Amino acid sequence: MKKTFKVNNISCSSCVNLIKGSLEDDFGHIDIDLSTTPKEVTVEIENNEKENFFKKEMSEIGFDIIE
């Protein structure tokens, strides 16, 4: 199931490249919408465990997901 998260601290294509480079191996294709405020990241999430792992990984590379 695709899930969209609102995320702080994404400001440019370098941020997008960091997220994709760091997480696409674990989560597959990641869509990032830079036209919204806050920015939106859409990813395929199968279960709560995978969602929690995604949130943890995003935080570790410097991007906070807004609940």
Side-chain angles (χ1 to χ4, degrees):
M1 160 179 78
K2 286 200 179 278
K3 185 156 186 177
T4 300
F5 300 94
K6 295 185 184 308
V7 182
N8 278 330
N9 306 333
I10 298 174
S11 58
C12 62
S13 59
S14 292
C15 298
V16 170
N17 291 336
L18 174 61
I19 293 168
K20 288 184 174 208
S22 299
L23 301 179
E24 280 191 334
D25 285 345
D26 290 323
F27 296 96
H29 180 73
I30 298 172
D31 286 316
I32 301 171
D33 187 350
L34 293 177
S35 68
T36 61
T37 303
K39 308 306 183 221
E40 294 182 344
V41 177
T42 303
V43 63
E44 188 73 29
I45 299 289
E46 293 89 25
N47 55 46
N48 285 341
E49 181 179 321
K50 192 82 164 183
E51 180 176 338
N52 290 335
F53 180 57
F54 178 75
K55 289 178 180 179
K56 176 179 165 284
E57 292 294 306
M58 285 289 286
S59 178
E60 286 182 2
I61 59 172
F63 302 101
D64 298 321
I65 293 178
I66 304 166
E67 292 299 328

